Amino acid sequence: MSACVHDPDLFTNKGSILITGTRIGDRNVDIFIDETGTIRDIGEGVSKKCRSEAEHQISAEKTLAIPGLVNAHTHAAMTLLRGYADDMHLQQWLSEKIWPLEAHLTGEDVYWGTKLACLEMIRSGTVAFNDMYFFMEDAARAVDESGIRGVLCHGFITFGLAEKFESEVKATENLVSHIRGMNNPRITPAVGPHAPYTVPPEHLEWCGSYSKDEDIMLHIHLSETEQEVIDCKKAHGVTPAVLLDQCGCLSERTLAAHGCWLEDEDCRLLAERGCHVAHNPVSNMKLATGRAMPYPSLRSAGVNVALATDGCSSNNNLDLFEEMKVAAIGQKFFWKQDTLLPAEEALSMATSCGAKALGIPGGSIVVGQAADIVLVSLDHPSMVPLHNPVSNLVYSASGCQVSTVLCNGRVLMYEKEIPGETAILSGAADAAAGLLNRAAQNT
Amino acid sequence: MSACVHDPDLFTNKGSILITGTRIGDRNVDIFIDETGTIRDIGEGVSKKCRSEAEHQISAEKTLAIPGLVNAHTHAAMTLLRGYADDMHLQQWLSEKIWPLEAHLTGEDVYWGTKLACLEMIRSGTVAFNDMYFFMEDAARAVDESGIRGVLCHGFITFGLAEKFESEVKATENLVSHIRGMNNPRITPAVGPHAPYTVPPEHLEWCGSYSKDEDIMLHIHLSETEQEVIDCKKAHGVTPAVLLDQCGCLSERTLAAHGCWLEDEDCRLLAERGCHVAHNPVSNMKLATGRAMPYPSLRSAGVNVALATDGCSSNNNLDLFEEMKVAAIGQKFFWKQDTLLPAEEALSMATSCGAKALGIPGGSIVVGQAADIVLVSLDHPSMVPLHNPVSNLVYSASGCQVSTVLCNGRVLMYEKEIPGETAILSGAADAAAGLLNRAAQNT
């Protein structure tokens, strides 16, 4: 057994790990993880029992151990567009800034953007994410290298065009086959119809069937803006949620992002079908959606609500600690209920609810579970005093207090060190600069 | 001249300082600060000119230099109550949790709570704050030691009782005299009538006159909740802002905190009188005030709006980076205007507008100004790419990206190191534990 600080093999995915001296809530515990990455023992006496057996040791005094966070909806490679355009009218922002730049994206850009996103997520304690974008085989390569979990789908947009439908089906089928071929248990494919307003009912039907036939997640944007709900009712006579149901797109495999303008009956329908909703409060506020996701209705209907950052062009970071706080205070504010979405629920949203929504291991620290564990440093003024660990995590901490991250039993960050970080930062900065150059040359 | 990393005198307030290789916005600059703490030169060639003259040097490659942030309304020592009670109904929270604990506060508690607050503020780039609490001579001692700027007032609450009025006047006068006796240019006194609903008109009148006679700030809570506006109209026939005006409490020396329920005419009145407003979006959302401060009306009326965290029991941290972001996205969301409060304005709110409101130096990095300078590290995934530095500062960074802090030309944090931090963290933790013990013994 070797101490981590001089342990060259710590990051290599080999051997069992003993975490000593951390705490879970109010309990002081050690955690033993076996060589398969599974949590084998948790408790006060564990270090005595397992010290001789452990191949690596992590001294975790002055930390809180929490489950690795789960980002339930993002467009990871949009890190490259961080800060490129803000504070604009939505349509102008999309048509004059985001879409023209995205038209010049390459697979290599998406690879570097996703590398940067994974790095940022690891640094802020996120070990799994649900992604929708383009060039997803390149994204898969980045996720594979990063060590975290990803559910990946190609953003499927047809605008009703038969030709586009054919190419989107092909892109989706190719991605599913590619990811299955990777045979990496951390990476799973999904089908990603972008939204009911960009994919018409007949194409949504294909997505619904495909999700069922392949037993994969269906990831979609739902009722983010008021306008799309108005338009849907006008065109189809029903809300977007009901339209999705008619197209066979609502099931326990469905993850719907946003849901700001869901009606009470929509919430009940989503609950009945066993769907999951991803709440993106920062993005919703930044884009001035005008209504907060109806958490009270979703909660009372029994819908599983996960937490998400959305992409970096509308957030502009991937820090789920910030998102937990904004969710907890934003829901209280908008629905005028000072006890709504307490800290415990915000933490569950970002952990167990996210893992459930994505159908992945993790989300809790229990024996027999994969070791997706984040150590949060208590050695920071914002974590003192520690009257209530969960309150400090949600209302006071930021992702920067995360010191050590494990996913599937593998150490991805140790005391703020992530191997290869410098190369990723410069590779992503270069890719962003190249993208802007290409776009400038073409205008 | 000695390089900082081996420079034992760096934290001692002695001698001139040359900051090399940083950037302000898109410009690469060096900054030279003379031995009085005043910025003497800024530009690309400054290091060549001043290197021989500088007694200390700070290498600031891969950083952005911004003015030190200003926290325009807080109750600093409430750091001791961080996480003690959350997610409760407002009245129950106050009467069952906060007030009973505060009844056991001692001057020593306030000293340690304020020490912790100053530490947390330095760590997140804040160099000045406007404070209202109790045992303020102990708070002044903590601010003096911290090296940052403080405007301090005793929370003046009478509920109309003559005896209480007498003691509050005395506490205020004593504090003003005590602070003047300290003769520390970083610390200034203020008069702090808590709110129009806790201090009746005749006592407000004394505060207004005292502020004028002594030429000191008047710091007050204003129109935070809907209920207090309704009650004020019922009792006095006018809004709280108009009532304050009738009592001689509105002037260019007035800083009004919150203002969530200000009416359009109130905004015009505050503008006419030259008052300043402190926006506390996180606290307002957490306490479910139900309405965002009317920034559009305040802005068009021409009121100077500063930014603030409020106390740690309703936030629960003192990070103005987080507050900038929540202000920028919260205003957009609540007022349904996607271009409202752009990043540049949020940064001004937290810097120049705050300095103006508090009547202190700082708030900008210009020659002849006191060196209140914060270096923000660009070496973090959330700061890559750097399409727009101000956007990254407001929407993507957190206070943890602050690496080095100067106030009045003195280095308070250098590459994340703050002398004496460990002792402050343990002293504050002990004070918080002692406070809870005393409260438990008395119930």
Side-chain angles (χ1 to χ4, degrees):
Chain A
M1 189 199 70
S2 48
C4 280
V5 73
H6 300 116
D7 184 349
D9 299 329
L10 182 66
F11 293 110
T12 58
N13 204 15
K14 299 246 174 72
S16 54
I17 299 173
L18 177 64
I19 301 174
T20 60
T22 187
R23 45 188 289 175
I24 297 177
D26 291 326
R27 283 194 309 149
N28 293 312
V29 298
D30 308 316
I31 303 170
F32 181 64
I33 301 153
D34 70 19
E35 65 290 345
T36 72
T38 306
I39 299 171
R40 279 297 156 220
D41 211 342
I42 305 172
E44 258 193 281
V46 167
S47 78
K48 278 184 195 157
K49 275 195 288 179
C50 303
R51 200 178 292 270
S52 59
E53 197 186 334
E55 287 161 88
H56 306 282
Q57 186 179 325
I58 292 177
S59 290
E61 276 71 37
K62 291 197 186 176
T63 67
L64 273 177
I66 60 169
L69 305 180
V70 179
N71 191 343
H73 171 70
T74 189
H75 313 287
M78 291 186 91
T79 48
L80 296 192
L81 279 64
R82 189 197 317 275
Y84 174 66
D86 303 286
D87 304 318
M88 297 175 69
H89 290 305
L90 181 68
Q91 276 311 315
Q92 190 192 10
W93 175 71
L94 284 171
S95 61
E96 293 179 17
K97 290 286 184 173
I98 302 300
W99 292 337
L101 205 61
E102 284 188 337
H104 293 91
L105 272 177
T106 65
E108 198 62 8
D109 292 335
V110 168
Y111 168 75
W112 281 111
T114 309
K115 291 278 279 185
L116 178 61
C118 292
L119 176 68
E120 189 184 348
M121 287 192 271
I122 292 168
R123 209 158 252 306
S124 50
T126 294
V127 300
F129 69 111
N130 184 31
D131 199 29
M132 177 194 287
Y133 210 51
F134 317 110
F135 301 103
M136 295 306 288
E137 298 180 10
D138 298 281
R141 182 161 55 102
V143 180
D144 182 39
E145 292 171 6
S146 75
I148 68 174
R149 303 179 192 277
V151 178
L152 310 181
C153 71
H154 170 78
F156 187 114
I157 301 182
T158 70
F159 294 115
L161 304 169
E163 207 172 88
K164 191 83 173 111
F165 174 65
E166 208 174 308
S167 67
E168 297 298 69
V169 165
K170 202 171 159 189
T172 298
E173 290 175 338
N174 284 347
L175 178 67
V176 171
S177 143
H178 176 81
I179 289 179
R180 287 180 174 159
M182 291 175 80
N183 202 21
N184 180 337
R186 289 186 287 100
I187 308 179
T188 47
V191 55
H194 172 266
Y197 61 90
T198 50
V199 184
E202 63 273 24
H203 298 161
L204 286 172
E205 279 170 15
W206 181 86
C207 295
S209 298
Y210 189 71
S211 159
K212 189 174 177 188
D213 295 346
E214 300 290 333
D215 192 22
I216 57 175
M217 179 193 285
L218 186 148
H219 179 188
I220 191 163
H221 294 90
L222 178 63
S223 298
E224 181 176 2
T225 67
E226 185 175 22
Q227 193 59 49
E228 72 189 76
V229 176
I230 292 170
D231 292 346
C232 183
K233 285 180 174 175
K234 209 166 161 185
H236 305 287
V238 291
T239 64
V242 172
L243 183 70
L244 286 186
D245 194 42
Q246 290 171 354
C247 297
C249 284
L250 295 190
S251 78
E252 68 287 348
R253 292 177 308 277
T254 304
L255 185 137
H258 300 295
C260 306
W261 289 89
L262 287 170
E263 300 178 3
D264 284 353
E265 283 191 30
D266 294 335
C267 297
R268 284 190 288 272
L269 174 62
L270 293 173
E272 249 170 61
R273 297 290 181 267
C275 304
H276 314 272
V277 170
H279 183 29
N280 300 256
V282 169
S283 170
N284 298 157
M285 290 173 72
K286 185 157 182 268
L287 299 180
T289 53
R291 185 176 191 249
M293 183 198 73
Y295 181 65
S297 299
L298 286 163
R299 191 178 185 279
S300 67
V303 175
N304 178 49
V305 179
L307 196 64
T309 61
D310 207 351
C312 267
S313 60
S314 62
N315 185 307
N316 299 349
N317 66 37
L318 301 173
D319 185 347
L320 280 173
F321 280 84
E322 180 181 290
E323 208 76 36
M324 284 194 285
K325 179 168 184 175
V326 174
I329 67 176
Q331 285 290 326
K332 288 174 179 61
F333 182 64
F334 189 83
W335 299 106
K336 301 184 186 180
Q337 297 178 33
D338 47 15
T339 61
L340 188 63
L341 193 37
E344 286 280 2
E345 282 179 33
L347 185 58
S348 297
M349 253 191 191
T351 53
S352 54
C353 300
K356 185 180 173 190
L358 270 59
I360 57 173
S364 58
I365 302 180
V366 289
V367 170
Q369 179 74 268
D372 286 15
I373 297 174
V374 164
L375 301 179
V376 180
S377 172
L378 297 175
D379 210 13
H380 187 276
S382 68
M383 298 301 277
V384 175
L386 193 66
H387 296 308
N388 180 338
V390 175
S391 169
N392 280 16
L393 287 167
V394 170
Y395 291 123
S396 183
S398 91
C400 295
Q401 270 91 70
V402 170
S403 61
T404 295
V405 173
L406 291 87
C407 178
N408 211 24
R410 183 178 157 199
V411 178
L412 304 183
M413 176 163 82
Y414 174 68
E415 293 198 350
K416 305 236 178 198
E417 185 195 341
I418 302 176
E421 172 159 26
T422 308
I424 298 172
L425 291 179
S426 65
D430 291 349
L435 174 61
L436 258 68
N437 278 341
R438 287 197 304 280
Q441 281 163 13
N442 274 269
T443 51
Chain B
M1 189 202 68
S2 47
C4 278
V5 74
H6 300 117
D7 184 349
D9 299 329
L10 182 68
F11 292 109
T12 59
N13 203 14
K14 299 246 173 71
S16 55
I17 299 173
L18 177 64
I19 300 174
T20 60
T22 186
R23 46 189 288 175
I24 297 178
D26 290 327
R27 285 194 308 149
N28 293 313
V29 298
D30 308 316
I31 303 170
F32 181 63
I33 301 153
D34 71 18
E35 65 289 346
T36 72
T38 306
I39 298 170
R40 280 296 157 220
D41 212 342
I42 305 172
E44 258 194 281
V46 167
S47 79
K48 278 185 195 157
K49 274 195 287 179
C50 302
R51 199 179 294 268
S52 60
E53 198 185 332
E55 288 161 87
H56 306 283
Q57 186 178 325
I58 292 177
S59 291
E61 276 70 37
K62 291 197 186 175
T63 67
L64 273 177
I66 61 169
L69 305 180
V70 179
N71 191 343
H73 171 71
T74 189
H75 312 288
M78 291 185 92
T79 48
L80 296 193
L81 278 66
R82 189 199 315 274
Y84 174 66
D86 304 286
D87 304 318
M88 296 175 70
H89 291 304
L90 181 67
Q91 277 311 316
Q92 190 192 10
W93 175 71
L94 285 171
S95 61
E96 293 179 17
K97 290 286 185 173
I98 303 300
W99 292 338
L101 205 60
E102 284 187 335
H104 292 92
L105 271 177
T106 65
E108 198 63 9
D109 292 335
V110 168
Y111 168 76
W112 281 110
T114 310
K115 291 277 280 185
L116 177 62
C118 292
L119 175 68
E120 188 183 349
M121 287 192 270
I122 293 168
R123 208 157 252 308
S124 51
T126 293
V127 301
F129 70 111
N130 184 30
D131 199 30
M132 178 193 288
Y133 210 52
F134 317 109
F135 301 101
M136 294 307 287
E137 299 180 9
D138 298 281
R141 183 161 54 102
V143 180
D144 182 40
E145 293 170 8
S146 76
I148 68 174
R149 303 180 193 278
V151 179
L152 310 182
C153 72
H154 170 78
F156 187 115
I157 301 181
T158 70
F159 294 116
L161 303 170
E163 207 172 88
K164 191 86 173 109
F165 174 65
E166 208 175 308
S167 66
E168 296 300 68
V169 165
K170 202 170 159 190
T172 298
E173 290 176 339
N174 284 348
L175 178 68
V176 171
S177 145
H178 176 82
I179 289 178
R180 286 182 175 156
M182 291 175 80
N183 202 22
N184 181 336
R186 289 187 286 99
I187 308 178
T188 47
V191 55
H194 172 265
Y197 60 90
T198 51
V199 184
E202 62 274 23
H203 298 162
L204 286 171
E205 279 170 15
W206 181 87
C207 295
S209 300
Y210 188 71
S211 160
K212 188 175 176 189
D213 295 345
E214 300 291 332
D215 192 21
I216 56 176
M217 178 193 285
L218 185 147
H219 178 188
I220 192 164
H221 295 89
L222 179 63
S223 297
E224 180 177 1
T225 66
E226 185 175 23
Q227 194 58 49
E228 72 189 77
V229 176
I230 292 169
D231 292 346
C232 183
K233 285 180 174 175
K234 208 167 163 186
H236 304 288
V238 291
T239 64
V242 172
L243 183 70
L244 285 186
D245 195 42
Q246 290 171 354
C247 297
C249 284
L250 295 190
S251 78
E252 67 287 349
R253 293 177 308 278
T254 304
L255 185 137
H258 301 294
C260 307
W261 290 88
L262 287 171
E263 300 178 3
D264 284 354
E265 284 192 28
D266 294 334
C267 296
R268 286 191 288 272
L269 175 63
L270 293 173
E272 251 171 59
R273 296 290 181 266
C275 304
H276 314 272
V277 170
H279 184 28
N280 300 256
V282 169
S283 170
N284 298 158
M285 289 172 73
K286 185 157 182 268
L287 297 181
T289 53
R291 185 175 191 249
M293 184 198 72
Y295 182 65
S297 299
L298 287 163
R299 191 178 186 280
S300 66
V303 175
N304 179 51
V305 179
L307 196 64
T309 60
D310 207 352
C312 268
S313 60
S314 63
N315 184 308
N316 300 353
N317 66 36
L318 302 173
D319 184 347
L320 279 173
F321 280 84
E322 180 181 289
E323 208 76 38
M324 285 195 285
K325 179 168 184 175
V326 174
I329 67 175
Q331 285 289 326
K332 288 174 179 63
F333 181 65
F334 189 84
W335 300 105
K336 300 183 187 180
Q337 297 177 34
D338 47 15
T339 61
L340 188 64
L341 192 38
E344 286 279 1
E345 282 179 35
L347 185 58
S348 297
M349 253 191 191
T351 53
S352 54
C353 300
K356 186 179 173 192
L358 271 58
I360 57 172
S364 56
I365 302 180
V366 290
V367 170
Q369 178 76 267
D372 286 15
I373 297 174
V374 164
L375 301 178
V376 180
S377 172
L378 298 175
D379 210 13
H380 187 276
S382 68
M383 299 301 278
V384 176
L386 194 66
H387 295 309
N388 179 338
V390 175
S391 168
N392 279 16
L393 286 167
V394 170
Y395 291 123
S396 183
S398 91
C400 295
Q401 269 90 72
V402 171
S403 60
T404 295
V405 173
L406 290 85
C407 178
N408 211 24
R410 183 178 157 200
V411 179
L412 304 183
M413 176 163 81
Y414 174 69
E415 295 199 348
K416 305 234 176 199
E417 185 194 341
I418 302 176
E421 173 161 24
T422 308
I424 298 172
L425 292 179
S426 65
D430 290 349
L435 175 61
L436 258 68
N437 278 341
R438 288 197 303 280
Q441 280 163 14
N442 275 269
T443 51

